Amino acid sequence: DAGITQSPRHKVTETGTPVTLRCHQTENHRYMYWYRQDPGHGLRLIHYSYGVKDTDKGEVSDGYSVSRSKTEDFLLTLESATSSQTSVYFCAISATSVSYNEQFFGPGTRLTVL
Amino acid sequence: TQLLEQSPQFLSIQEGENLTVYCNSSSVFSSLQWYRQEPGEGPVLLVTVVTGGEVKKLKRLTFQFGDARKDSSLHITAAQPGDTGLYLCAGARNQGGKLIFGQGTELSVKP
């Protein structure tokens, strides 16, 4: 199994509070991704990183920011959580950006915003 | 806008039956991946198809990429309870490794 951990695994928070989710990898892969998974939508890309301090937006980036100060860590921040951000969040990594390259996924973080 | 449409979204069958899951798009993809996800875990890659018309087999699972690289199918022969899970197709478009996922097909195989 690829070495990817996510923390916390579960979190319940209130509307308006800031939340930070952490993804940590031990594979030294260059590319890292944050997705959210909701029923009927599959996985949707929030933000991704193609190197330290190099990040870009995905298809559902509004309300989210990311940071990557080290190769192994990719942080996802909800500045002011809303109920629409209740979801399961997955981090993924890949070694290259080649289109057929496998992405390895972490175990997910279940976030509930009340 | 959902660029990849998966069907059916839910499928409940008896052990031993055959089934096919479809993944369709109006867009061309450079490759198409199929993932399987179990409850409480992240998706795990099953196969990647790259060439139009390509067919790949993984034991009882057969994957096909459409000739125009706009669609794909997953066929399972003689399904078993261990095949139960969420199946996701994902298309890549040569843009920094980003994947576009279908909505998923939730498969339940009853003994």
PDB file of all heavy atoms in Angstrom, chain A residues 9 33 35 37 40-43 45 48 90 97 99-103 105-107, chain B residues 30-31 33 35 37 40-43 45 48 86 92 94 96-99 101-103:
ATOM      1  N   ARG A   9      -9.421  11.625  10.790  1.00  0.00           N
ATOM      2  CA  ARG A   9     -10.246  10.733   9.987  1.00  0.00           C
ATOM      3  C   ARG A   9     -11.724  11.119  10.065  1.00  0.00           C
ATOM      4  O   ARG A   9     -12.486  10.872   9.136  1.00  0.00           O
ATOM      5  CB  ARG A   9     -10.088   9.295  10.468  1.00  0.00           C
ATOM      6  CG  ARG A   9      -8.696   8.700  10.227  1.00  0.00           C
ATOM      7  CD  ARG A   9      -8.409   8.528   8.721  1.00  0.00           C
ATOM      8  NE  ARG A   9      -9.484   7.927   7.990  1.00  0.00           N
ATOM      9  CZ  ARG A   9      -9.702   6.621   7.923  1.00  0.00           C
ATOM     10  NH1 ARG A   9      -8.904   5.795   8.536  1.00  0.00           N
ATOM     11  NH2 ARG A   9     -10.723   6.145   7.213  1.00  0.00           N
ATOM     12  N   TYR A  33      -3.273  15.619  -4.611  1.00  0.00           N
ATOM     13  CA  TYR A  33      -4.600  16.085  -4.988  1.00  0.00           C
ATOM     14  C   TYR A  33      -5.535  16.012  -3.788  1.00  0.00           C
ATOM     15  O   TYR A  33      -5.421  15.121  -2.959  1.00  0.00           O
ATOM     16  CB  TYR A  33      -5.193  15.182  -6.098  1.00  0.00           C
ATOM     17  CG  TYR A  33      -4.278  14.937  -7.267  1.00  0.00           C
ATOM     18  CD1 TYR A  33      -3.303  13.938  -7.232  1.00  0.00           C
ATOM     19  CD2 TYR A  33      -4.396  15.703  -8.428  1.00  0.00           C
ATOM     20  CE1 TYR A  33      -2.464  13.711  -8.310  1.00  0.00           C
ATOM     21  CE2 TYR A  33      -3.556  15.470  -9.520  1.00  0.00           C
ATOM     22  CZ  TYR A  33      -2.591  14.481  -9.451  1.00  0.00           C
ATOM     23  OH  TYR A  33      -1.764  14.251 -10.524  1.00  0.00           O
ATOM     24  N   TYR A  35      -9.682  15.730  -3.193  1.00  0.00           N
ATOM     25  CA  TYR A  35     -10.997  15.506  -3.785  1.00  0.00           C
ATOM     26  C   TYR A  35     -12.045  15.520  -2.673  1.00  0.00           C
ATOM     27  O   TYR A  35     -11.763  15.228  -1.525  1.00  0.00           O
ATOM     28  CB  TYR A  35     -11.082  14.119  -4.442  1.00  0.00           C
ATOM     29  CG  TYR A  35     -10.216  13.896  -5.650  1.00  0.00           C
ATOM     30  CD1 TYR A  35      -8.921  13.390  -5.524  1.00  0.00           C
ATOM     31  CD2 TYR A  35     -10.715  14.136  -6.931  1.00  0.00           C
ATOM     32  CE1 TYR A  35      -8.135  13.153  -6.646  1.00  0.00           C
ATOM     33  CE2 TYR A  35      -9.933  13.900  -8.059  1.00  0.00           C
ATOM     34  CZ  TYR A  35      -8.652  13.402  -7.901  1.00  0.00           C
ATOM     35  OH  TYR A  35      -7.882  13.161  -9.017  1.00  0.00           O
ATOM     36  N   GLN A  37     -15.964  13.709  -2.047  1.00  0.00           N
ATOM     37  CA  GLN A  37     -16.865  12.683  -2.575  1.00  0.00           C
ATOM     38  C   GLN A  37     -18.235  12.848  -1.966  1.00  0.00           C
ATOM     39  O   GLN A  37     -18.389  12.806  -0.739  1.00  0.00           O
ATOM     40  CB  GLN A  37     -16.335  11.274  -2.283  1.00  0.00           C
ATOM     41  CG  GLN A  37     -17.171  10.179  -2.922  1.00  0.00           C
ATOM     42  CD  GLN A  37     -16.535   8.815  -2.773  1.00  0.00           C
ATOM     43  OE1 GLN A  37     -15.932   8.496  -1.746  1.00  0.00           O
ATOM     44  NE2 GLN A  37     -16.634   7.991  -3.804  1.00  0.00           N
ATOM     45  N   GLY A  40     -23.821  10.630  -5.712  1.00  0.00           N
ATOM     46  CA  GLY A  40     -24.292  11.090  -7.012  1.00  0.00           C
ATOM     47  C   GLY A  40     -23.307  11.939  -7.788  1.00  0.00           C
ATOM     48  O   GLY A  40     -23.583  12.333  -8.919  1.00  0.00           O
ATOM     49  N   HIS A  41     -22.163  12.239  -7.187  1.00  0.00           N
ATOM     50  CA  HIS A  41     -21.172  13.102  -7.853  1.00  0.00           C
ATOM     51  C   HIS A  41     -19.823  12.436  -8.045  1.00  0.00           C
ATOM     52  O   HIS A  41     -18.922  13.018  -8.632  1.00  0.00           O
ATOM     53  CB  HIS A  41     -20.958  14.386  -7.054  1.00  0.00           C
ATOM     54  CG  HIS A  41     -22.123  15.317  -7.087  1.00  0.00           C
ATOM     55  ND1 HIS A  41     -22.363  16.196  -8.129  1.00  0.00           N
ATOM     56  CD2 HIS A  41     -23.135  15.492  -6.210  1.00  0.00           C
ATOM     57  CE1 HIS A  41     -23.475  16.875  -7.875  1.00  0.00           C
ATOM     58  NE2 HIS A  41     -23.956  16.469  -6.724  1.00  0.00           N
ATOM     59  N   GLY A  42     -19.632  11.249  -7.558  1.00  0.00           N
ATOM     60  CA  GLY A  42     -18.315  10.634  -7.662  1.00  0.00           C
ATOM     61  C   GLY A  42     -17.298  11.453  -6.896  1.00  0.00           C
ATOM     62  O   GLY A  42     -17.592  12.024  -5.837  1.00  0.00           O
ATOM     63  N   LEU A  43     -16.102  11.550  -7.423  1.00  0.00           N
ATOM     64  CA  LEU A  43     -15.042  12.345  -6.807  1.00  0.00           C
ATOM     65  C   LEU A  43     -14.836  13.611  -7.627  1.00  0.00           C
ATOM     66  O   LEU A  43     -14.745  13.561  -8.851  1.00  0.00           O
ATOM     67  CB  LEU A  43     -13.731  11.545  -6.781  1.00  0.00           C
ATOM     68  CG  LEU A  43     -13.679  10.415  -5.772  1.00  0.00           C
ATOM     69  CD1 LEU A  43     -12.753   9.326  -6.236  1.00  0.00           C
ATOM     70  CD2 LEU A  43     -13.232  10.942  -4.430  1.00  0.00           C
ATOM     71  N   LEU A  45     -12.430  17.143  -8.014  1.00  0.00           N
ATOM     72  CA  LEU A  45     -11.139  17.703  -7.658  1.00  0.00           C
ATOM     73  C   LEU A  45     -11.300  19.101  -7.069  1.00  0.00           C
ATOM     74  O   LEU A  45     -11.940  19.967  -7.670  1.00  0.00           O
ATOM     75  CB  LEU A  45     -10.231  17.753  -8.889  1.00  0.00           C
ATOM     76  CG  LEU A  45      -8.814  18.263  -8.681  1.00  0.00           C
ATOM     77  CD1 LEU A  45      -8.034  17.310  -7.783  1.00  0.00           C
ATOM     78  CD2 LEU A  45      -8.103  18.427 -10.031  1.00  0.00           C
ATOM     79  N   TYR A  48      -5.004  20.855  -6.506  1.00  0.00           N
ATOM     80  CA  TYR A  48      -3.916  19.907  -6.652  1.00  0.00           C
ATOM     81  C   TYR A  48      -2.578  20.645  -6.579  1.00  0.00           C
ATOM     82  O   TYR A  48      -2.521  21.874  -6.687  1.00  0.00           O
ATOM     83  CB  TYR A  48      -4.038  19.097  -7.941  1.00  0.00           C
ATOM     84  CG  TYR A  48      -3.867  19.884  -9.210  1.00  0.00           C
ATOM     85  CD1 TYR A  48      -2.668  19.848  -9.932  1.00  0.00           C
ATOM     86  CD2 TYR A  48      -4.909  20.654  -9.724  1.00  0.00           C
ATOM     87  CE1 TYR A  48      -2.516  20.563 -11.095  1.00  0.00           C
ATOM     88  CE2 TYR A  48      -4.760  21.365 -10.894  1.00  0.00           C
ATOM     89  CZ  TYR A  48      -3.574  21.316 -11.580  1.00  0.00           C
ATOM     90  OH  TYR A  48      -3.417  22.024 -12.749  1.00  0.00           O
ATOM     91  N   PHE A  90     -10.861  13.127   0.193  1.00  0.00           N
ATOM     92  CA  PHE A  90      -9.783  12.189  -0.106  1.00  0.00           C
ATOM     93  C   PHE A  90      -8.577  12.932  -0.650  1.00  0.00           C
ATOM     94  O   PHE A  90      -8.700  13.820  -1.492  1.00  0.00           O
ATOM     95  CB  PHE A  90     -10.221  11.150  -1.137  1.00  0.00           C
ATOM     96  CG  PHE A  90     -11.157  10.119  -0.586  1.00  0.00           C
ATOM     97  CD1 PHE A  90     -12.528  10.243  -0.754  1.00  0.00           C
ATOM     98  CD2 PHE A  90     -10.659   9.024   0.102  1.00  0.00           C
ATOM     99  CE1 PHE A  90     -13.394   9.298  -0.239  1.00  0.00           C
ATOM    100  CE2 PHE A  90     -11.521   8.061   0.620  1.00  0.00           C
ATOM    101  CZ  PHE A  90     -12.885   8.204   0.450  1.00  0.00           C
ATOM    102  N   SER A  97       2.718  13.240 -13.942  1.00  0.00           N
ATOM    103  CA  SER A  97       1.466  13.800 -14.459  1.00  0.00           C
ATOM    104  C   SER A  97       1.035  13.103 -15.739  1.00  0.00           C
ATOM    105  O   SER A  97       0.083  13.505 -16.373  1.00  0.00           O
ATOM    106  CB  SER A  97       1.639  15.292 -14.748  1.00  0.00           C
ATOM    107  OG  SER A  97       2.576  15.475 -15.794  1.00  0.00           O
ATOM    108  N   SER A  99      -0.858  10.913 -18.228  1.00  0.00           N
ATOM    109  CA  SER A  99      -2.305  10.717 -18.124  1.00  0.00           C
ATOM    110  C   SER A  99      -2.690   9.348 -17.612  1.00  0.00           C
ATOM    111  O   SER A  99      -3.704   9.191 -16.945  1.00  0.00           O
ATOM    112  CB  SER A  99      -2.964  10.947 -19.483  1.00  0.00           C
ATOM    113  OG  SER A  99      -2.566   9.937 -20.390  1.00  0.00           O
ATOM    114  N   TYR A 100      -1.883   8.320 -17.870  1.00  0.00           N
ATOM    115  CA  TYR A 100      -2.275   6.979 -17.449  1.00  0.00           C
ATOM    116  C   TYR A 100      -1.650   6.588 -16.119  1.00  0.00           C
ATOM    117  O   TYR A 100      -1.722   5.439 -15.703  1.00  0.00           O
ATOM    118  CB  TYR A 100      -1.905   5.953 -18.518  1.00  0.00           C
ATOM    119  CG  TYR A 100      -0.481   6.037 -19.019  1.00  0.00           C
ATOM    120  CD1 TYR A 100       0.565   5.462 -18.304  1.00  0.00           C
ATOM    121  CD2 TYR A 100      -0.195   6.702 -20.197  1.00  0.00           C
ATOM    122  CE1 TYR A 100       1.853   5.547 -18.760  1.00  0.00           C
ATOM    123  CE2 TYR A 100       1.102   6.795 -20.660  1.00  0.00           C
ATOM    124  CZ  TYR A 100       2.123   6.201 -19.937  1.00  0.00           C
ATOM    125  OH  TYR A 100       3.394   6.294 -20.400  1.00  0.00           O
ATOM    126  N   ASN A 101      -1.048   7.563 -15.457  1.00  0.00           N
ATOM    127  CA  ASN A 101      -0.405   7.253 -14.191  1.00  0.00           C
ATOM    128  C   ASN A 101      -1.431   7.013 -13.091  1.00  0.00           C
ATOM    129  O   ASN A 101      -2.419   7.723 -12.988  1.00  0.00           O
ATOM    130  CB  ASN A 101       0.513   8.400 -13.780  1.00  0.00           C
ATOM    131  CG  ASN A 101       1.532   7.960 -12.752  1.00  0.00           C
ATOM    132  OD1 ASN A 101       2.413   7.169 -13.063  1.00  0.00           O
ATOM    133  ND2 ASN A 101       1.407   8.437 -11.530  1.00  0.00           N
ATOM    134  N   GLU A 102      -1.181   5.996 -12.289  1.00  0.00           N
ATOM    135  CA  GLU A 102      -2.103   5.649 -11.214  1.00  0.00           C
ATOM    136  C   GLU A 102      -2.057   6.697 -10.117  1.00  0.00           C
ATOM    137  O   GLU A 102      -1.000   7.223  -9.766  1.00  0.00           O
ATOM    138  CB  GLU A 102      -1.717   4.298 -10.628  1.00  0.00           C
ATOM    139  CG  GLU A 102      -2.565   3.866  -9.446  1.00  0.00           C
ATOM    140  CD  GLU A 102      -2.172   2.488  -8.929  1.00  0.00           C
ATOM    141  OE1 GLU A 102      -1.211   1.912  -9.459  1.00  0.00           O
ATOM    142  OE2 GLU A 102      -2.836   2.013  -7.998  1.00  0.00           O
ATOM    143  N   GLN A 103      -3.234   7.015  -9.584  1.00  0.00           N
ATOM    144  CA  GLN A 103      -3.308   7.836  -8.385  1.00  0.00           C
ATOM    145  C   GLN A 103      -3.589   6.911  -7.201  1.00  0.00           C
ATOM    146  O   GLN A 103      -4.453   6.036  -7.269  1.00  0.00           O
ATOM    147  CB  GLN A 103      -4.396   8.904  -8.516  1.00  0.00           C
ATOM    148  CG  GLN A 103      -4.021  10.000  -9.501  1.00  0.00           C
ATOM    149  CD  GLN A 103      -4.981  11.180  -9.474  1.00  0.00           C
ATOM    150  OE1 GLN A 103      -5.796  11.341  -8.567  1.00  0.00           O
ATOM    151  NE2 GLN A 103      -4.882  12.034 -10.475  1.00  0.00           N
ATOM    152  N   PHE A 105      -4.834   6.677  -3.334  1.00  0.00           N
ATOM    153  CA  PHE A 105      -5.707   7.451  -2.459  1.00  0.00           C
ATOM    154  C   PHE A 105      -5.490   7.127  -0.986  1.00  0.00           C
ATOM    155  O   PHE A 105      -5.203   5.985  -0.619  1.00  0.00           O
ATOM    156  CB  PHE A 105      -7.174   7.183  -2.816  1.00  0.00           C
ATOM    157  CG  PHE A 105      -7.603   7.835  -4.097  1.00  0.00           C
ATOM    158  CD1 PHE A 105      -7.330   7.250  -5.320  1.00  0.00           C
ATOM    159  CD2 PHE A 105      -8.277   9.044  -4.073  1.00  0.00           C
ATOM    160  CE1 PHE A 105      -7.712   7.859  -6.501  1.00  0.00           C
ATOM    161  CE2 PHE A 105      -8.669   9.664  -5.254  1.00  0.00           C
ATOM    162  CZ  PHE A 105      -8.388   9.072  -6.466  1.00  0.00           C
ATOM    163  N   GLY A 106      -5.667   8.151  -0.168  1.00  0.00           N
ATOM    164  CA  GLY A 106      -5.664   7.960   1.265  1.00  0.00           C
ATOM    165  C   GLY A 106      -6.988   7.388   1.740  1.00  0.00           C
ATOM    166  O   GLY A 106      -7.903   7.180   0.944  1.00  0.00           O
ATOM    167  N   PRO A 107      -7.135   7.170   3.055  1.00  0.00           N
ATOM    168  CA  PRO A 107      -8.338   6.536   3.596  1.00  0.00           C
ATOM    169  C   PRO A 107      -9.528   7.469   3.742  1.00  0.00           C
ATOM    170  O   PRO A 107     -10.637   7.015   4.014  1.00  0.00           O
ATOM    171  CB  PRO A 107      -7.878   6.041   4.963  1.00  0.00           C
ATOM    172  CG  PRO A 107      -6.805   7.006   5.356  1.00  0.00           C
ATOM    173  CD  PRO A 107      -6.099   7.357   4.073  1.00  0.00           C
TER     174      PRO A 107
ATOM    175  N   SER B  30      -7.478  10.849 -23.070  1.00  0.00           N
ATOM    176  CA  SER B  30      -6.222  10.215 -23.439  1.00  0.00           C
ATOM    177  C   SER B  30      -6.106   8.847 -22.790  1.00  0.00           C
ATOM    178  O   SER B  30      -5.389   7.982 -23.297  1.00  0.00           O
ATOM    179  CB  SER B  30      -5.040  11.102 -23.047  1.00  0.00           C
ATOM    180  OG  SER B  30      -5.118  11.421 -21.671  1.00  0.00           O
ATOM    181  N   SER B  31      -6.750   8.647 -21.682  1.00  0.00           N
ATOM    182  CA  SER B  31      -6.792   7.335 -21.040  1.00  0.00           C
ATOM    183  C   SER B  31      -8.013   7.277 -20.126  1.00  0.00           C
ATOM    184  O   SER B  31      -8.591   8.316 -19.770  1.00  0.00           O
ATOM    185  CB  SER B  31      -5.522   7.058 -20.227  1.00  0.00           C
ATOM    186  OG  SER B  31      -5.439   7.941 -19.129  1.00  0.00           O
ATOM    187  N   GLN B  33      -9.445   5.199 -16.595  1.00  0.00           N
ATOM    188  CA  GLN B  33      -9.112   4.305 -15.500  1.00  0.00           C
ATOM    189  C   GLN B  33     -10.380   3.828 -14.809  1.00  0.00           C
ATOM    190  O   GLN B  33     -11.383   4.533 -14.770  1.00  0.00           O
ATOM    191  CB  GLN B  33      -8.215   5.031 -14.481  1.00  0.00           C
ATOM    192  CG  GLN B  33      -6.889   5.491 -15.061  1.00  0.00           C
ATOM    193  CD  GLN B  33      -6.012   6.201 -14.037  1.00  0.00           C
ATOM    194  OE1 GLN B  33      -6.480   6.606 -12.977  1.00  0.00           O
ATOM    195  NE2 GLN B  33      -4.742   6.343 -14.358  1.00  0.00           N
ATOM    196  N   TYR B  35     -11.587   2.352 -11.057  1.00  0.00           N
ATOM    197  CA  TYR B  35     -11.242   2.165  -9.662  1.00  0.00           C
ATOM    198  C   TYR B  35     -12.371   1.418  -8.951  1.00  0.00           C
ATOM    199  O   TYR B  35     -13.538   1.501  -9.338  1.00  0.00           O
ATOM    200  CB  TYR B  35     -11.054   3.511  -8.958  1.00  0.00           C
ATOM    201  CG  TYR B  35      -9.809   4.282  -9.342  1.00  0.00           C
ATOM    202  CD1 TYR B  35      -9.751   5.013 -10.521  1.00  0.00           C
ATOM    203  CD2 TYR B  35      -8.692   4.272  -8.521  1.00  0.00           C
ATOM    204  CE1 TYR B  35      -8.612   5.716 -10.866  1.00  0.00           C
ATOM    205  CE2 TYR B  35      -7.541   4.985  -8.850  1.00  0.00           C
ATOM    206  CZ  TYR B  35      -7.517   5.705 -10.025  1.00  0.00           C
ATOM    207  OH  TYR B  35      -6.375   6.407 -10.354  1.00  0.00           O
ATOM    208  N   GLN B  37     -13.889   0.940  -4.941  1.00  0.00           N
ATOM    209  CA  GLN B  37     -13.825   1.510  -3.603  1.00  0.00           C
ATOM    210  C   GLN B  37     -14.709   0.722  -2.656  1.00  0.00           C
ATOM    211  O   GLN B  37     -15.882   0.458  -2.955  1.00  0.00           O
ATOM    212  CB  GLN B  37     -14.278   2.973  -3.638  1.00  0.00           C
ATOM    213  CG  GLN B  37     -14.172   3.701  -2.311  1.00  0.00           C
ATOM    214  CD  GLN B  37     -14.615   5.150  -2.412  1.00  0.00           C
ATOM    215  OE1 GLN B  37     -15.280   5.550  -3.362  1.00  0.00           O
ATOM    216  NE2 GLN B  37     -14.264   5.959  -1.442  1.00  0.00           N
ATOM    217  N   GLY B  40     -15.538   3.060   3.619  1.00  0.00           N
ATOM    218  CA  GLY B  40     -14.551   3.535   4.581  1.00  0.00           C
ATOM    219  C   GLY B  40     -13.121   3.560   4.059  1.00  0.00           C
ATOM    220  O   GLY B  40     -12.189   3.826   4.837  1.00  0.00           O
ATOM    221  N   GLU B  41     -12.949   3.316   2.764  1.00  0.00           N
ATOM    222  CA  GLU B  41     -11.604   3.316   2.204  1.00  0.00           C
ATOM    223  C   GLU B  41     -11.540   4.193   0.963  1.00  0.00           C
ATOM    224  O   GLU B  41     -12.561   4.595   0.411  1.00  0.00           O
ATOM    225  CB  GLU B  41     -11.183   1.885   1.847  1.00  0.00           C
ATOM    226  CG  GLU B  41     -11.130   0.956   3.038  1.00  0.00           C
ATOM    227  CD  GLU B  41     -10.694  -0.452   2.643  1.00  0.00           C
ATOM    228  OE1 GLU B  41     -10.307  -0.649   1.482  1.00  0.00           O
ATOM    229  OE2 GLU B  41     -10.745  -1.333   3.528  1.00  0.00           O
ATOM    230  N   GLY B  42     -10.317   4.473   0.520  1.00  0.00           N
ATOM    231  CA  GLY B  42     -10.151   5.222  -0.710  1.00  0.00           C
ATOM    232  C   GLY B  42     -10.218   4.305  -1.918  1.00  0.00           C
ATOM    233  O   GLY B  42     -10.059   3.090  -1.800  1.00  0.00           O
ATOM    234  N   PRO B  43     -10.463   4.870  -3.103  1.00  0.00           N
ATOM    235  CA  PRO B  43     -10.499   4.066  -4.326  1.00  0.00           C
ATOM    236  C   PRO B  43      -9.141   3.416  -4.605  1.00  0.00           C
ATOM    237  O   PRO B  43      -8.095   3.976  -4.280  1.00  0.00           O
ATOM    238  CB  PRO B  43     -10.840   5.088  -5.417  1.00  0.00           C
ATOM    239  CG  PRO B  43     -11.436   6.250  -4.695  1.00  0.00           C
ATOM    240  CD  PRO B  43     -10.759   6.282  -3.365  1.00  0.00           C
ATOM    241  N   LEU B  45      -7.009   1.494  -7.840  1.00  0.00           N
ATOM    242  CA  LEU B  45      -7.011   1.314  -9.288  1.00  0.00           C
ATOM    243  C   LEU B  45      -7.130  -0.160  -9.672  1.00  0.00           C
ATOM    244  O   LEU B  45      -6.425  -1.016  -9.138  1.00  0.00           O
ATOM    245  CB  LEU B  45      -5.719   1.882  -9.887  1.00  0.00           C
ATOM    246  CG  LEU B  45      -5.603   1.799 -11.407  1.00  0.00           C
ATOM    247  CD1 LEU B  45      -6.608   2.748 -12.063  1.00  0.00           C
ATOM    248  CD2 LEU B  45      -4.188   2.114 -11.876  1.00  0.00           C
ATOM    249  N   THR B  48      -6.036   0.553 -16.288  1.00  0.00           N
ATOM    250  CA  THR B  48      -5.980   1.746 -17.131  1.00  0.00           C
ATOM    251  C   THR B  48      -6.019   1.297 -18.586  1.00  0.00           C
ATOM    252  O   THR B  48      -5.284   0.375 -18.966  1.00  0.00           O
ATOM    253  CB  THR B  48      -4.685   2.536 -16.892  1.00  0.00           C
ATOM    254  OG1 THR B  48      -4.621   2.928 -15.520  1.00  0.00           O
ATOM    255  CG2 THR B  48      -4.651   3.790 -17.760  1.00  0.00           C
ATOM    256  N   LEU B  86     -18.123   0.035  -4.774  1.00  0.00           N
ATOM    257  CA  LEU B  86     -18.392   1.166  -5.652  1.00  0.00           C
ATOM    258  C   LEU B  86     -17.352   1.164  -6.763  1.00  0.00           C
ATOM    259  O   LEU B  86     -16.147   1.156  -6.488  1.00  0.00           O
ATOM    260  CB  LEU B  86     -18.319   2.470  -4.860  1.00  0.00           C
ATOM    261  CG  LEU B  86     -18.566   3.765  -5.650  1.00  0.00           C
ATOM    262  CD1 LEU B  86     -20.003   3.841  -6.116  1.00  0.00           C
ATOM    263  CD2 LEU B  86     -18.227   4.978  -4.785  1.00  0.00           C
ATOM    264  N   ALA B  92      -8.716  10.850 -18.104  1.00  0.00           N
ATOM    265  CA  ALA B  92      -7.589  11.789 -18.038  1.00  0.00           C
ATOM    266  C   ALA B  92      -7.459  12.506 -19.362  1.00  0.00           C
ATOM    267  O   ALA B  92      -7.722  11.940 -20.425  1.00  0.00           O
ATOM    268  CB  ALA B  92      -6.299  11.036 -17.729  1.00  0.00           C
ATOM    269  N   ASN B  94      -4.544  14.586 -20.230  1.00  0.00           N
ATOM    270  CA  ASN B  94      -3.217  15.168 -20.433  1.00  0.00           C
ATOM    271  C   ASN B  94      -3.079  16.558 -19.861  1.00  0.00           C
ATOM    272  O   ASN B  94      -2.409  17.405 -20.434  1.00  0.00           O
ATOM    273  CB  ASN B  94      -2.871  15.228 -21.937  1.00  0.00           C
ATOM    274  CG  ASN B  94      -2.403  13.878 -22.444  1.00  0.00           C
ATOM    275  OD1 ASN B  94      -1.932  13.047 -21.671  1.00  0.00           O
ATOM    276  ND2 ASN B  94      -2.550  13.656 -23.726  1.00  0.00           N
ATOM    277  N   GLY B  96      -1.841  17.728 -16.527  1.00  0.00           N
ATOM    278  CA  GLY B  96      -1.251  17.654 -15.201  1.00  0.00           C
ATOM    279  C   GLY B  96      -1.726  16.491 -14.374  1.00  0.00           C
ATOM    280  O   GLY B  96      -1.695  16.554 -13.146  1.00  0.00           O
ATOM    281  N   GLY B  97      -2.152  15.429 -15.037  1.00  0.00           N
ATOM    282  CA  GLY B  97      -2.549  14.242 -14.293  1.00  0.00           C
ATOM    283  C   GLY B  97      -3.916  14.324 -13.670  1.00  0.00           C
ATOM    284  O   GLY B  97      -4.315  13.450 -12.919  1.00  0.00           O
ATOM    285  N   LYS B  98      -4.672  15.391 -13.966  1.00  0.00           N
ATOM    286  CA  LYS B  98      -5.988  15.522 -13.360  1.00  0.00           C
ATOM    287  C   LYS B  98      -6.953  14.502 -13.947  1.00  0.00           C
ATOM    288  O   LYS B  98      -6.962  14.244 -15.148  1.00  0.00           O
ATOM    289  CB  LYS B  98      -6.528  16.937 -13.583  1.00  0.00           C
ATOM    290  CG  LYS B  98      -5.757  17.988 -12.817  1.00  0.00           C
ATOM    291  CD  LYS B  98      -6.405  19.354 -12.954  1.00  0.00           C
ATOM    292  CE  LYS B  98      -6.222  19.906 -14.341  1.00  0.00           C
ATOM    293  NZ  LYS B  98      -6.772  21.280 -14.448  1.00  0.00           N
ATOM    294  N   LEU B  99      -7.774  13.948 -13.081  1.00  0.00           N
ATOM    295  CA  LEU B  99      -8.775  12.972 -13.486  1.00  0.00           C
ATOM    296  C   LEU B  99     -10.170  13.544 -13.329  1.00  0.00           C
ATOM    297  O   LEU B  99     -10.443  14.305 -12.399  1.00  0.00           O
ATOM    298  CB  LEU B  99      -8.663  11.703 -12.631  1.00  0.00           C
ATOM    299  CG  LEU B  99      -7.383  10.877 -12.765  1.00  0.00           C
ATOM    300  CD1 LEU B  99      -7.406   9.741 -11.765  1.00  0.00           C
ATOM    301  CD2 LEU B  99      -7.245  10.350 -14.183  1.00  0.00           C
ATOM    302  N   PHE B 101     -13.936  12.137 -12.736  1.00  0.00           N
ATOM    303  CA  PHE B 101     -14.586  10.909 -12.312  1.00  0.00           C
ATOM    304  C   PHE B 101     -16.058  10.876 -12.716  1.00  0.00           C
ATOM    305  O   PHE B 101     -16.738  11.905 -12.736  1.00  0.00           O
ATOM    306  CB  PHE B 101     -14.509  10.764 -10.788  1.00  0.00           C
ATOM    307  CG  PHE B 101     -13.181  10.276 -10.298  1.00  0.00           C
ATOM    308  CD1 PHE B 101     -12.130  11.162 -10.112  1.00  0.00           C
ATOM    309  CD2 PHE B 101     -12.979   8.928 -10.037  1.00  0.00           C
ATOM    310  CE1 PHE B 101     -10.899  10.713  -9.664  1.00  0.00           C
ATOM    311  CE2 PHE B 101     -11.742   8.469  -9.586  1.00  0.00           C
ATOM    312  CZ  PHE B 101     -10.709   9.365  -9.402  1.00  0.00           C
ATOM    313  N   GLY B 102     -16.530   9.670 -13.007  1.00  0.00           N
ATOM    314  CA  GLY B 102     -17.956   9.453 -13.156  1.00  0.00           C
ATOM    315  C   GLY B 102     -18.600   9.401 -11.772  1.00  0.00           C
ATOM    316  O   GLY B 102     -17.920   9.412 -10.743  1.00  0.00           O
ATOM    317  N   GLN B 103     -19.955   9.298 -11.762  1.00  0.00           N
ATOM    318  CA  GLN B 103     -20.678   9.331 -10.480  1.00  0.00           C
ATOM    319  C   GLN B 103     -20.506   8.053  -9.666  1.00  0.00           C
ATOM    320  O   GLN B 103     -20.757   8.024  -8.469  1.00  0.00           O
ATOM    321  CB  GLN B 103     -22.186   9.537 -10.681  1.00  0.00           C
ATOM    322  CG  GLN B 103     -22.560  10.692 -11.568  1.00  0.00           C
ATOM    323  CD  GLN B 103     -22.874  10.193 -12.965  1.00  0.00           C
ATOM    324  OE1 GLN B 103     -22.104   9.416 -13.548  1.00  0.00           O
ATOM    325  NE2 GLN B 103     -23.990  10.641 -13.514  1.00  0.00           N
TER     326      GLN B 103
END
